[in-house]
Amino acid sequence: MTMRDIRIIGDPVLRTPSEPVTSFDAELRTLVTDLMDTLLGAPGRAGVAAPQIGVNAQVFVYDADGHRGHMINPTLELSTELQDDDEGCLSIPGLYFPTPRALHATAHGYDQHGEPLTIAGSGFLARALQHETDHLAGRLYVDTLRGETRRRALREIRAGRFDSSRRS
């Protein structure tokens, strides 16, 4: 089992759009395994994206609402119906804010062998798919916040009010 350290806000890899995967090879399968080990190696995790472990590749793993898997080079279809629940991020540990997301999401991409893959979900699974896909675009959930919630989140981040000692 290979648990990798989680990169924390301020690390430039978290703000860099990831490169699409073009080789579905043993190196990619090792990355998927490392991501899954990192996801399952600590309780309470719903997803981990490759940039969160310092890898610039469009790959994420998820474990939400009884669904567990991985997705490579995802694209999303989102409903117009919204949900607004608290959201957090391993890269901003300990902070949670109400974050608007589409209630339903369908992710299209590929599995680690290059086979087409579609995952559809509502509620928490839809939130996880959106959150992890955002990581691949260099976005963090706090980027979606608005108004006073965004101002409060940014103040807490600037003040270091998150648990930056939690690296993995």
Side-chain angles (χ1 to χ4, degrees):
M1 182 164 164
T2 305
M3 274 193 62
R4 306 270 295 269
D5 287 344
I6 298 292
R7 302 295 179 97
I8 301 299
I9 191 168
D11 190 316
V13 73
L14 296 172
R15 295 301 192 170
T16 303
S18 298
E19 295 294 324
V21 171
T22 56
S23 296
F24 293 81
D25 55 13
E27 184 177 339
L28 175 63
R29 288 187 290 284
T30 297
L31 173 59
V32 169
T33 298
D34 286 357
L35 284 165
M36 192 60 75
D37 287 350
T38 302
L39 172 67
L40 300 176
R45 294 181 172 183
V48 177
Q52 290 183 279
I53 63 167
V55 178
N56 185 353
Q58 290 186 11
V59 181
F60 70 78
V61 296
Y62 60 91
D63 185 15
D65 281 348
H67 299 273
R68 180 184 294 169
H70 67 278
M71 177 73 63
I72 298 162
N73 298 339
T75 60
L76 290 178
E77 293 175 29
L78 303 174
S79 71
T80 56
E81 190 177 3
L82 296 177
Q83 58 177 312
D84 192 22
D85 293 318
D86 279 354
E87 192 165 320
C89 181
L90 297 173
S91 294
I92 313 172
L95 293 185
Y96 301 88
F97 296 96
T99 305
R101 294 283 188 181
L103 181 59
H104 309 283
T106 302
H108 302 280
Y110 300 91
D111 71 10
Q112 62 188 328
H113 304 288
E115 296 298 321
L117 185 61
T118 298
I119 305 295
S122 298
F124 188 59
L125 178 57
R127 179 174 295 280
L129 294 172
Q130 293 167 79
H131 181 107
E132 299 310 325
T133 300
D134 276 355
H135 274 299
L136 305 182
R139 289 187 302 264
L140 298 171
Y141 84 98
V142 293
D143 299 334
T144 69
L145 302 177
R146 300 288 175 253
E148 180 52 36
T149 303
R150 180 173 174 79
R151 287 188 289 278
R152 186 168 46 101
L154 295 177
R155 277 193 308 269
E156 291 190 31
I157 290 167
R158 278 192 297 271
R161 292 191 187 127
F162 58 92
D163 185 1
S164 62
S165 65
R166 262 187 53 195
R167 294 286 176 190
S168 57

